[in-house]
Amino acid sequence: MTDSDIPPEFDLGFRDGFETLLRWRRDVRRFRTDPVGPNVLDGLLDLADLAPSVGNSQPWRFVSVETSEARRRVRANFEQANADALADQAQERRHLYASLKLAGLEQAPVHLAVFTDSETDQGYGLGRRTMPQTLEHSTVMAIHTLWLAARALGVGVGWVSILDPHRLCADLSVPSDWRFTAYLCLGWPEEEHADPELERAGWQARTGRGRDLLRR
Ligand SMILES: Cc1cc2nc3c(=O)[nH]c(=O)nc-3n(C[C@H](O)[C@H](O)[C@H](O)COP(=O)(O)O)c2cc1C
């Protein structure tokens, strides 16, 4: 048995630290503009790649959006989708919605568009015959892994979903089999909080409703 075969023990200190990480993981929209080094990003992508996936298919595909033209298109996409979302809000919530900051696209030094390769042959289809959506579930696992790993390094992640996915795929010219899953802004946070921004803004507090057990 080599050292790397010996299962680790996650002691109380580790478990406490892990809980703190979960409690302090935030969706970040306010970034400093100083860069996140390429080694940091590479390390995060390596850790994201350890996520579970249906049939071990690893269908996540990351695109680093770097050029000013590509970023301009993403911002325009967001602005249009956000204006449409604002118009859809009930009258009594419209003012509050308009006051929310829902993306950090201007300042974030790193932009990652995340896709799911819907036709990957990796995994030979195992596990997804009746539930093809498990490919996208797998990509979300990788995103959450990256999110936690980033927070452990002090790097903030903000998930932007207020986007037209078809326009985004066209603007980034990705292969036609890739489905858009998420747009992530990464960078050093301007501020740290123990509670979600949407809770502080009075939009929606955590309720714990999802943790209630239904027994059958
Ligand atoms: C699938 C998904 C999509 C999201 N899209 C957005 C978004 O477009 N804009 C935004 O400000 N936050 C977005 N968020 C972040 C949520 O608003 C945030 O997770 C939630 O308010 C709880 O805050 P916390 O992540 O800081 O705990 C998204 C989160 C998820 C999981």
Side-chain angles (χ1 to χ4, degrees):
M1 207 184 225
T2 67
D3 273 1
S4 61
D5 293 328
I6 301 170
E9 269 187 42
F10 299 112
D11 62 15
L12 192 58
F14 174 85
R15 295 200 299 269
D16 282 349
F18 184 60
E19 180 173 338
T20 305
L21 173 65
L22 296 178
R23 291 191 183 282
W24 280 84
R25 179 213 50 77
R26 284 282 71 75
D27 185 88
V28 174
R29 299 110 171 154
R30 298 164 202 279
F31 297 97
R32 305 196 323 247
T33 52
D34 37 321
V36 171
N39 293 344
V40 173
L41 183 59
D42 272 2
L44 292 176
L45 294 173
D46 283 346
L47 292 175
D49 216 45
L50 299 175
S53 59
V54 64
N56 218 6
S57 56
Q58 298 182 291
W60 40 83
R61 305 287 180 261
F62 290 93
V63 175
S64 175
V65 179
E66 298 176 1
T67 67
S68 49
E69 175 56 18
R71 288 192 178 191
R72 188 194 62 71
R73 288 176 186 226
V74 173
R75 277 201 308 276
N77 186 334
F78 169 78
E79 276 153 25
Q80 181 63 59
N82 202 31
D84 294 346
L86 173 64
D88 263 0
Q89 291 299 316
Q91 182 63 39
E92 64 274 14
R93 292 188 76 83
R94 208 168 285 169
H95 184 69
L96 180 55
Y97 185 94
S99 72
L100 300 173
K101 179 162 174 60
L102 296 172
L105 292 164
E106 295 81 15
Q107 291 82 19
V110 176
H111 288 206
L112 293 178
V114 193
F115 298 85
T116 301
D117 183 349
S118 67
E119 294 298 328
T120 183
D121 53 12
Q122 186 170 329
Y124 303 99
L126 187 149
R128 60 183 201 254
R129 193 176 71 83
T130 53
M131 292 184 64
Q133 66 270 39
T134 49
L135 277 178
E136 284 213 290
H137 297 169
S138 304
T139 300
V140 174
M141 300 300 294
I143 292 168
H144 194 226
T145 303
L146 181 144
W147 204 336
L148 293 177
R151 180 61 189 85
L153 293 177
V155 175
V157 174
W159 185 321
V160 187
S161 55
I162 305 166
L163 292 163
D164 174 338
H166 302 293
R167 178 172 168 184
L168 191 103
C169 287
D171 283 344
L172 298 181
S173 307
V174 295
S176 58
D177 294 336
W178 290 14
R179 302 283 170 262
F180 173 62
T181 305
Y183 198 88
L184 305 178
C185 293
L186 280 78
W188 307 104
E190 256 189 353
E191 45 191 63
E192 300 279 6
H193 294 278
D195 53 348
E197 174 147 349
L198 290 189
E199 188 161 336
R200 283 196 309 286
W203 181 263
Q204 176 64 64
R206 288 189 184 281
T207 63
R209 199 192 296 169
R211 67 142 334 276
D212 291 344
L213 265 185
L214 197 61
R215 296 182 192 273
R216 290 287 183 270

